[in-house]
Amino acid sequence: MAFLQGLDSHVVIVGCGMSGLGAALRLVQHGFHNVRVVEASDRAGGRIKTALWGGKFLEIGANWIHGPCQENPVFRLACNYGLLDEKSTTEENQSIDVDGHPPFVPNWFSSSGRKVSVDLTKPAAMVYMSLLQESQGFFAQDHEHLPARSVGEFIKSKALEALGEEQVDKGTKELRLAVVNTLLKAECCVSGTHTMDDVCLKSFGMYKTLPGLDCTFPGGYEGLIRCMIQDLPKDIVSYNKPVKCIHWNCTDQKAKNSGKTFPVLVECDDGETIPADHVILTVSLGVLKRKQKTLLSPEMPPQKVESIQNLGFGTNNKIFLEFEEPFWEPDCEIIFFLWEDETELSDVVSDLERFWMKKLFGFTVMSPAERYGHMLCGWIAGCESEYMEALSQMELESAVTQLIRRFTGNPTITPKRVLRSQWYHDPYTYGSYTYVAKGCCGQDIENLAEPLPLKGSQSKPLQVLFGGEATSQPFFSTVHGALLAGWREAERIISHYAPLTFPETGGSKL
Ligand code: 6YU
């Protein structure tokens, strides 16, 4: 009986990214028929965003299914919708356990316009890789005295020690330091942070990688979003409807046209107020950081605010460049840029205006070439990335052209077209994804995920629930983390009404 009443409850989901969609589908599949998704922008998908550029699908946001194996719900969904190519779905692909991808085949270019042989860069790259791996090990162990507070500080001090011991000439030594800098800048992109000095050494290993060789969607990641939307009842998503404030613990708010009193009222920018029994909030941690004082009324309790502040949310952007001819070798998968004037270990740039482009560690080669032609994807994180977003298209094109001419030593090379992402200036995201900032811990993610009112309150339970990738341990920062978090919150509501029929999994596609 309680469960049947539960099916009548009004659930508002704020945000139509992967987390919001996952929650909506799970509830609808369980028979909840008063579900509404409210989305600020004019599209579904959030940080999953595919652009059609000159007839090619480019991922402006999420690229890969990280760890495409049976444990990964995004992989299972994508398989069931038939969205992946055959190779990605093979048993063999799923069982490869190489932390996402085996090392990409690199081409190294230096700021004096020469190609640098892998023999010269490899020793430093190996030192770096082993230190990065060591950094992940501090999470599981009980370390009273950590060697450093941040991953950056740890890697830099150990790399200096290791490279200092080598009997090599000054030029080679400097080159090896430059290799470590480039790889630190690359890791800033992976972690989505300004500097690895901001990433917590103790918590770095909290992120869990799944087996499987990372794969992409041949028809674009957004195809998955379209399939999910089609499985929802028509018109349950309202677009262009930013939520201004979620009023919870309401006692005197009555829904229009009904005698029922609802504990939550969702106030939208356009003035509409939507009454609800439960609200699942799936906005990014970037939005929560910016709007923590205004998005909820009453304000969030101090422990939640503290955890929102403790966790990190940074920017990682892409710059796509298309060329008539490749300047890289046919087997090259990644291009690294080495700044020879960087004689100290550092992954930040001091004079943003003049040198922001030094933070761009290089490019991944878009493959297969039959699909993309000669296209590169540049990666840039941090404040330098945020600065880059605000440049005019002409300034950007000029800067990247000069950069490529300098590193290739070819004064005429010119990209045909340039396209960039701008996640920091997206008013409904304010950055790219979550990272474990110095001083934060798993408890911060748990605090963030805890519904309001907090346990022990006499008010109606489960008024505001928190989804989104930032609430997903150990998969924060990923699409599968976002999906799992959406399901988790939907199931919290389902099991509230039907504790004995709490489902292990649901969803017709799984
Ligand atoms: C992944 C990948 N990937 C690259 C780049 C980016 C991200 N990610 P959403 O924000 O999607 O949805 C919220 C909605 O709410 C949204 O639609 C808003 O418009 C709406 N909203 C906001 N305010 C509102 C309001 N007031 N009212 C109403 N609505 C409102 N993940 O799996 N593979 O390759 C990448 C990448 C450039 C920007 C990625 C990747 C991250 C995912 O995109 C992201 O987590 C999910 O899409 C989020 O979904 P959501 O629903 O939670 O929010 C050791 C260690 C290190 C740990 N890191 C490892 C790296 C892993 C991440 N890798 C990233 C790499 C790339 C390239």
PDB file of all heavy atoms in Angstrom, residues 437-467:
ATOM      1  N   ALA A 437      40.655  17.344  -3.922  1.00  0.00           N
ATOM      2  CA  ALA A 437      41.551  18.452  -3.582  1.00  0.00           C
ATOM      3  C   ALA A 437      42.312  18.141  -2.296  1.00  0.00           C
ATOM      4  O   ALA A 437      41.872  17.326  -1.472  1.00  0.00           O
ATOM      5  CB  ALA A 437      40.746  19.730  -3.424  1.00  0.00           C
ATOM      6  N   LYS A 438      43.451  18.815  -2.141  1.00  0.00           N
ATOM      7  CA  LYS A 438      44.304  18.625  -0.965  1.00  0.00           C
ATOM      8  C   LYS A 438      43.462  18.792   0.301  1.00  0.00           C
ATOM      9  O   LYS A 438      42.752  19.789   0.448  1.00  0.00           O
ATOM     10  CB  LYS A 438      45.413  19.672  -1.018  1.00  0.00           C
ATOM     11  CG  LYS A 438      46.671  19.284  -0.313  1.00  0.00           C
ATOM     12  CD  LYS A 438      47.874  20.013  -0.867  1.00  0.00           C
ATOM     13  CE  LYS A 438      47.851  21.504  -0.635  1.00  0.00           C
ATOM     14  NZ  LYS A 438      49.108  22.143  -1.064  1.00  0.00           N
ATOM     15  N   GLY A 439      43.518  17.802   1.157  1.00  0.00           N
ATOM     16  CA  GLY A 439      42.800  17.909   2.433  1.00  0.00           C
ATOM     17  C   GLY A 439      41.423  17.283   2.414  1.00  0.00           C
ATOM     18  O   GLY A 439      40.798  17.145   3.461  1.00  0.00           O
ATOM     19  N   CYS A 440      40.906  16.898   1.248  1.00  0.00           N
ATOM     20  CA  CYS A 440      39.563  16.296   1.266  1.00  0.00           C
ATOM     21  C   CYS A 440      39.677  14.776   1.403  1.00  0.00           C
ATOM     22  O   CYS A 440      40.760  14.200   1.279  1.00  0.00           O
ATOM     23  CB  CYS A 440      38.762  16.676   0.025  1.00  0.00           C
ATOM     24  SG  CYS A 440      39.071  15.649  -1.398  1.00  0.00           S
ATOM     25  N   CYS A 441      38.553  14.134   1.699  1.00  0.00           N
ATOM     26  CA  CYS A 441      38.576  12.678   1.871  1.00  0.00           C
ATOM     27  C   CYS A 441      37.234  12.101   1.420  1.00  0.00           C
ATOM     28  O   CYS A 441      36.313  12.845   1.070  1.00  0.00           O
ATOM     29  CB  CYS A 441      38.861  12.315   3.323  1.00  0.00           C
ATOM     30  SG  CYS A 441      37.624  12.991   4.433  1.00  0.00           S
ATOM     31  N   GLY A 442      37.138  10.774   1.475  1.00  0.00           N
ATOM     32  CA  GLY A 442      35.926  10.091   1.028  1.00  0.00           C
ATOM     33  C   GLY A 442      34.684  10.572   1.768  1.00  0.00           C
ATOM     34  O   GLY A 442      33.588  10.601   1.211  1.00  0.00           O
ATOM     35  N   GLN A 443      34.874  10.959   3.025  1.00  0.00           N
ATOM     36  CA  GLN A 443      33.740  11.427   3.821  1.00  0.00           C
ATOM     37  C   GLN A 443      33.095  12.666   3.190  1.00  0.00           C
ATOM     38  O   GLN A 443      31.886  12.868   3.291  1.00  0.00           O
ATOM     39  CB  GLN A 443      34.222  11.728   5.251  1.00  0.00           C
ATOM     40  CG  GLN A 443      33.107  12.071   6.236  1.00  0.00           C
ATOM     41  CD  GLN A 443      32.091  10.924   6.396  1.00  0.00           C
ATOM     42  OE1 GLN A 443      32.471   9.771   6.546  1.00  0.00           O
ATOM     43  NE2 GLN A 443      30.799  11.253   6.330  1.00  0.00           N
ATOM     44  N   ASP A 444      33.909  13.468   2.505  1.00  0.00           N
ATOM     45  CA  ASP A 444      33.353  14.664   1.849  1.00  0.00           C
ATOM     46  C   ASP A 444      32.372  14.262   0.756  1.00  0.00           C
ATOM     47  O   ASP A 444      31.331  14.905   0.592  1.00  0.00           O
ATOM     48  CB  ASP A 444      34.478  15.533   1.274  1.00  0.00           C
ATOM     49  CG  ASP A 444      35.246  16.248   2.377  1.00  0.00           C
ATOM     50  OD1 ASP A 444      34.589  16.889   3.219  1.00  0.00           O
ATOM     51  OD2 ASP A 444      36.477  16.157   2.405  1.00  0.00           O
ATOM     52  N   ILE A 445      32.711  13.212   0.026  1.00  0.00           N
ATOM     53  CA  ILE A 445      31.796  12.748  -1.029  1.00  0.00           C
ATOM     54  C   ILE A 445      30.522  12.205  -0.381  1.00  0.00           C
ATOM     55  O   ILE A 445      29.411  12.461  -0.846  1.00  0.00           O
ATOM     56  CB  ILE A 445      32.489  11.697  -1.931  1.00  0.00           C
ATOM     57  CG1 ILE A 445      33.653  12.361  -2.669  1.00  0.00           C
ATOM     58  CG2 ILE A 445      31.501  11.075  -2.915  1.00  0.00           C
ATOM     59  CD1 ILE A 445      34.372  11.508  -3.691  1.00  0.00           C
ATOM     60  N   GLU A 446      30.686  11.478   0.727  1.00  0.00           N
ATOM     61  CA  GLU A 446      29.505  10.960   1.437  1.00  0.00           C
ATOM     62  C   GLU A 446      28.637  12.096   1.979  1.00  0.00           C
ATOM     63  O   GLU A 446      27.415  12.051   1.891  1.00  0.00           O
ATOM     64  CB  GLU A 446      29.935  10.028   2.569  1.00  0.00           C
ATOM     65  CG  GLU A 446      30.224   8.634   2.037  1.00  0.00           C
ATOM     66  CD  GLU A 446      30.852   7.738   3.076  1.00  0.00           C
ATOM     67  OE1 GLU A 446      30.503   7.861   4.265  1.00  0.00           O
ATOM     68  OE2 GLU A 446      31.705   6.922   2.686  1.00  0.00           O
ATOM     69  N   ASN A 447      29.277  13.107   2.540  1.00  0.00           N
ATOM     70  CA  ASN A 447      28.508  14.260   3.053  1.00  0.00           C
ATOM     71  C   ASN A 447      27.714  14.922   1.943  1.00  0.00           C
ATOM     72  O   ASN A 447      26.565  15.335   2.134  1.00  0.00           O
ATOM     73  CB  ASN A 447      29.438  15.320   3.664  1.00  0.00           C
ATOM     74  CG  ASN A 447      30.059  14.857   4.969  1.00  0.00           C
ATOM     75  OD1 ASN A 447      29.635  13.862   5.548  1.00  0.00           O
ATOM     76  ND2 ASN A 447      31.084  15.567   5.422  1.00  0.00           N
ATOM     77  N   LEU A 448      28.363  15.033   0.794  1.00  0.00           N
ATOM     78  CA  LEU A 448      27.710  15.682  -0.335  1.00  0.00           C
ATOM     79  C   LEU A 448      26.495  14.875  -0.784  1.00  0.00           C
ATOM     80  O   LEU A 448      25.470  15.434  -1.178  1.00  0.00           O
ATOM     81  CB  LEU A 448      28.720  15.811  -1.488  1.00  0.00           C
ATOM     82  CG  LEU A 448      28.280  16.609  -2.708  1.00  0.00           C
ATOM     83  CD1 LEU A 448      27.931  18.025  -2.312  1.00  0.00           C
ATOM     84  CD2 LEU A 448      29.395  16.634  -3.756  1.00  0.00           C
ATOM     85  N   ALA A 449      26.623  13.550  -0.717  1.00  0.00           N
ATOM     86  CA  ALA A 449      25.544  12.677  -1.208  1.00  0.00           C
ATOM     87  C   ALA A 449      24.407  12.526  -0.200  1.00  0.00           C
ATOM     88  O   ALA A 449      23.354  11.986  -0.535  1.00  0.00           O
ATOM     89  CB  ALA A 449      26.120  11.303  -1.549  1.00  0.00           C
ATOM     90  N   GLU A 450      24.593  12.995   1.022  1.00  0.00           N
ATOM     91  CA  GLU A 450      23.570  12.752   2.038  1.00  0.00           C
ATOM     92  C   GLU A 450      22.319  13.602   1.801  1.00  0.00           C
ATOM     93  O   GLU A 450      22.398  14.812   1.614  1.00  0.00           O
ATOM     94  CB  GLU A 450      24.149  13.067   3.429  1.00  0.00           C
ATOM     95  CG  GLU A 450      23.430  12.267   4.476  1.00  0.00           C
ATOM     96  CD  GLU A 450      24.006  12.466   5.866  1.00  0.00           C
ATOM     97  OE1 GLU A 450      25.189  12.793   5.994  1.00  0.00           O
ATOM     98  OE2 GLU A 450      23.213  12.297   6.811  1.00  0.00           O
ATOM     99  N   PRO A 451      21.147  12.952   1.802  1.00  0.00           N
ATOM    100  CA  PRO A 451      19.909  13.700   1.535  1.00  0.00           C
ATOM    101  C   PRO A 451      19.563  14.654   2.672  1.00  0.00           C
ATOM    102  O   PRO A 451      20.012  14.470   3.801  1.00  0.00           O
ATOM    103  CB  PRO A 451      18.836  12.611   1.430  1.00  0.00           C
ATOM    104  CG  PRO A 451      19.521  11.307   1.489  1.00  0.00           C
ATOM    105  CD  PRO A 451      20.885  11.519   2.050  1.00  0.00           C
ATOM    106  N   LEU A 452      18.722  15.623   2.337  1.00  0.00           N
ATOM    107  CA  LEU A 452      18.199  16.557   3.340  1.00  0.00           C
ATOM    108  C   LEU A 452      16.717  16.277   3.555  1.00  0.00           C
ATOM    109  O   LEU A 452      16.025  15.969   2.584  1.00  0.00           O
ATOM    110  CB  LEU A 452      18.389  17.997   2.868  1.00  0.00           C
ATOM    111  CG  LEU A 452      19.838  18.461   2.682  1.00  0.00           C
ATOM    112  CD1 LEU A 452      19.867  19.875   2.112  1.00  0.00           C
ATOM    113  CD2 LEU A 452      20.597  18.386   3.998  1.00  0.00           C
ATOM    114  N   PRO A 453      16.191  16.413   4.763  1.00  0.00           N
ATOM    115  CA  PRO A 453      16.936  16.771   5.965  1.00  0.00           C
ATOM    116  C   PRO A 453      17.890  15.648   6.397  1.00  0.00           C
ATOM    117  O   PRO A 453      17.679  14.487   6.062  1.00  0.00           O
ATOM    118  CB  PRO A 453      15.828  16.974   6.999  1.00  0.00           C
ATOM    119  CG  PRO A 453      14.648  16.238   6.476  1.00  0.00           C
ATOM    120  CD  PRO A 453      14.758  16.196   4.995  1.00  0.00           C
ATOM    121  N   LEU A 454      18.914  16.038   7.143  1.00  0.00           N
ATOM    122  CA  LEU A 454      19.897  15.059   7.605  1.00  0.00           C
ATOM    123  C   LEU A 454      19.241  14.092   8.591  1.00  0.00           C
ATOM    124  O   LEU A 454      18.189  14.397   9.167  1.00  0.00           O
ATOM    125  CB  LEU A 454      21.062  15.783   8.290  1.00  0.00           C
ATOM    126  CG  LEU A 454      21.885  16.705   7.388  1.00  0.00           C
ATOM    127  CD1 LEU A 454      22.953  17.430   8.207  1.00  0.00           C
ATOM    128  CD2 LEU A 454      22.532  15.949   6.237  1.00  0.00           C
ATOM    129  N   LYS A 455      19.889  12.937   8.748  1.00  0.00           N
ATOM    130  CA  LYS A 455      19.365  11.911   9.673  1.00  0.00           C
ATOM    131  C   LYS A 455      19.090  12.516  11.055  1.00  0.00           C
ATOM    132  O   LYS A 455      19.833  13.373  11.511  1.00  0.00           O
ATOM    133  CB  LYS A 455      20.409  10.808   9.836  1.00  0.00           C
ATOM    134  CG  LYS A 455      20.326   9.773   8.749  1.00  0.00           C
ATOM    135  CD  LYS A 455      21.208   8.572   9.106  1.00  0.00           C
ATOM    136  CE  LYS A 455      21.626   7.864   7.842  1.00  0.00           C
ATOM    137  NZ  LYS A 455      22.938   8.268   7.345  1.00  0.00           N
ATOM    138  N   GLY A 456      18.033  12.054  11.703  1.00  0.00           N
ATOM    139  CA  GLY A 456      17.740  12.530  13.059  1.00  0.00           C
ATOM    140  C   GLY A 456      16.716  13.651  13.065  1.00  0.00           C
ATOM    141  O   GLY A 456      16.182  14.006  14.111  1.00  0.00           O
ATOM    142  N   SER A 457      16.433  14.199  11.880  1.00  0.00           N
ATOM    143  CA  SER A 457      15.452  15.290  11.831  1.00  0.00           C
ATOM    144  C   SER A 457      14.037  14.724  11.940  1.00  0.00           C
ATOM    145  O   SER A 457      13.774  13.592  11.558  1.00  0.00           O
ATOM    146  CB  SER A 457      15.621  16.046  10.510  1.00  0.00           C
ATOM    147  OG  SER A 457      14.461  16.778  10.236  1.00  0.00           O
ATOM    148  N   GLN A 458      13.139  15.526  12.492  1.00  0.00           N
ATOM    149  CA  GLN A 458      11.739  15.105  12.616  1.00  0.00           C
ATOM    150  C   GLN A 458      10.942  15.430  11.346  1.00  0.00           C
ATOM    151  O   GLN A 458       9.806  14.999  11.198  1.00  0.00           O
ATOM    152  CB  GLN A 458      11.066  15.835  13.803  1.00  0.00           C
ATOM    153  CG  GLN A 458      11.716  15.582  15.156  1.00  0.00           C
ATOM    154  CD  GLN A 458      11.714  14.101  15.516  1.00  0.00           C
ATOM    155  OE1 GLN A 458      10.689  13.440  15.451  1.00  0.00           O
ATOM    156  NE2 GLN A 458      12.891  13.584  15.868  1.00  0.00           N
ATOM    157  N   SER A 459      11.544  16.202  10.417  1.00  0.00           N
ATOM    158  CA  SER A 459      10.800  16.612   9.212  1.00  0.00           C
ATOM    159  C   SER A 459      10.653  15.446   8.247  1.00  0.00           C
ATOM    160  O   SER A 459      11.287  14.401   8.421  1.00  0.00           O
ATOM    161  CB  SER A 459      11.537  17.728   8.476  1.00  0.00           C
ATOM    162  OG  SER A 459      12.125  18.596   9.361  1.00  0.00           O
ATOM    163  N   LYS A 460       9.842  15.658   7.226  1.00  0.00           N
ATOM    164  CA  LYS A 460       9.646  14.627   6.208  1.00  0.00           C
ATOM    165  C   LYS A 460      10.984  14.242   5.608  1.00  0.00           C
ATOM    166  O   LYS A 460      11.780  15.119   5.243  1.00  0.00           O
ATOM    167  CB  LYS A 460       8.752  15.164   5.092  1.00  0.00           C
ATOM    168  CG  LYS A 460       7.282  14.955   5.351  1.00  0.00           C
ATOM    169  CD  LYS A 460       6.500  15.113   4.065  1.00  0.00           C
ATOM    170  CE  LYS A 460       5.074  14.669   4.314  1.00  0.00           C
ATOM    171  NZ  LYS A 460       4.196  14.933   3.206  1.00  0.00           N
ATOM    172  N   PRO A 461      11.263  12.937   5.477  1.00  0.00           N
ATOM    173  CA  PRO A 461      12.581  12.537   4.966  1.00  0.00           C
ATOM    174  C   PRO A 461      12.698  12.689   3.444  1.00  0.00           C
ATOM    175  O   PRO A 461      11.691  12.835   2.756  1.00  0.00           O
ATOM    176  CB  PRO A 461      12.673  11.062   5.373  1.00  0.00           C
ATOM    177  CG  PRO A 461      11.254  10.597   5.457  1.00  0.00           C
ATOM    178  CD  PRO A 461      10.421  11.785   5.830  1.00  0.00           C
ATOM    179  N   LEU A 462      13.900  12.621   2.978  1.00  0.00           N
ATOM    180  CA  LEU A 462      14.229  12.593   1.541  1.00  0.00           C
ATOM    181  C   LEU A 462      13.579  13.732   0.761  1.00  0.00           C
ATOM    182  O   LEU A 462      12.995  13.520  -0.296  1.00  0.00           O
ATOM    183  CB  LEU A 462      13.829  11.249   0.921  1.00  0.00           C
ATOM    184  CG  LEU A 462      14.404   9.977   1.558  1.00  0.00           C
ATOM    185  CD1 LEU A 462      14.098   8.774   0.700  1.00  0.00           C
ATOM    186  CD2 LEU A 462      15.902  10.097   1.775  1.00  0.00           C
ATOM    187  N   GLN A 463      13.724  14.937   1.262  1.00  0.00           N
ATOM    188  CA  GLN A 463      13.166  16.082   0.526  1.00  0.00           C
ATOM    189  C   GLN A 463      14.097  16.486  -0.622  1.00  0.00           C
ATOM    190  O   GLN A 463      13.660  16.660  -1.752  1.00  0.00           O
ATOM    191  CB  GLN A 463      12.961  17.266   1.469  1.00  0.00           C
ATOM    192  CG  GLN A 463      11.900  17.014   2.529  1.00  0.00           C
ATOM    193  CD  GLN A 463      11.698  18.239   3.397  1.00  0.00           C
ATOM    194  OE1 GLN A 463      11.744  19.377   2.939  1.00  0.00           O
ATOM    195  NE2 GLN A 463      11.464  18.021   4.680  1.00  0.00           N
ATOM    196  N   VAL A 464      15.376  16.635  -0.305  1.00  0.00           N
ATOM    197  CA  VAL A 464      16.338  16.970  -1.362  1.00  0.00           C
ATOM    198  C   VAL A 464      17.422  15.893  -1.370  1.00  0.00           C
ATOM    199  O   VAL A 464      18.086  15.657  -0.357  1.00  0.00           O
ATOM    200  CB  VAL A 464      16.991  18.358  -1.138  1.00  0.00           C
ATOM    201  CG1 VAL A 464      17.830  18.737  -2.361  1.00  0.00           C
ATOM    202  CG2 VAL A 464      15.939  19.416  -0.875  1.00  0.00           C
ATOM    203  N   LEU A 465      17.571  15.245  -2.534  1.00  0.00           N
ATOM    204  CA  LEU A 465      18.584  14.197  -2.667  1.00  0.00           C
ATOM    205  C   LEU A 465      19.646  14.701  -3.646  1.00  0.00           C
ATOM    206  O   LEU A 465      19.355  15.527  -4.523  1.00  0.00           O
ATOM    207  CB  LEU A 465      17.954  12.897  -3.174  1.00  0.00           C
ATOM    208  CG  LEU A 465      16.808  12.365  -2.308  1.00  0.00           C
ATOM    209  CD1 LEU A 465      15.467  12.819  -2.847  1.00  0.00           C
ATOM    210  CD2 LEU A 465      16.834  10.851  -2.213  1.00  0.00           C
ATOM    211  N   PHE A 466      20.853  14.191  -3.504  1.00  0.00           N
ATOM    212  CA  PHE A 466      21.970  14.732  -4.290  1.00  0.00           C
ATOM    213  C   PHE A 466      22.589  13.659  -5.181  1.00  0.00           C
ATOM    214  O   PHE A 466      23.111  12.658  -4.687  1.00  0.00           O
ATOM    215  CB  PHE A 466      23.047  15.310  -3.355  1.00  0.00           C
ATOM    216  CG  PHE A 466      22.563  16.532  -2.618  1.00  0.00           C
ATOM    217  CD1 PHE A 466      21.728  16.409  -1.500  1.00  0.00           C
ATOM    218  CD2 PHE A 466      22.897  17.805  -3.060  1.00  0.00           C
ATOM    219  CE1 PHE A 466      21.259  17.535  -0.834  1.00  0.00           C
ATOM    220  CE2 PHE A 466      22.435  18.935  -2.392  1.00  0.00           C
ATOM    221  CZ  PHE A 466      21.611  18.803  -1.284  1.00  0.00           C
ATOM    222  N   GLY A 467      22.471  13.871  -6.495  1.00  0.00           N
ATOM    223  CA  GLY A 467      23.120  12.977  -7.459  1.00  0.00           C
ATOM    224  C   GLY A 467      24.284  13.712  -8.114  1.00  0.00           C
ATOM    225  O   GLY A 467      24.836  14.646  -7.545  1.00  0.00           O
TER     226      GLY A 467
END
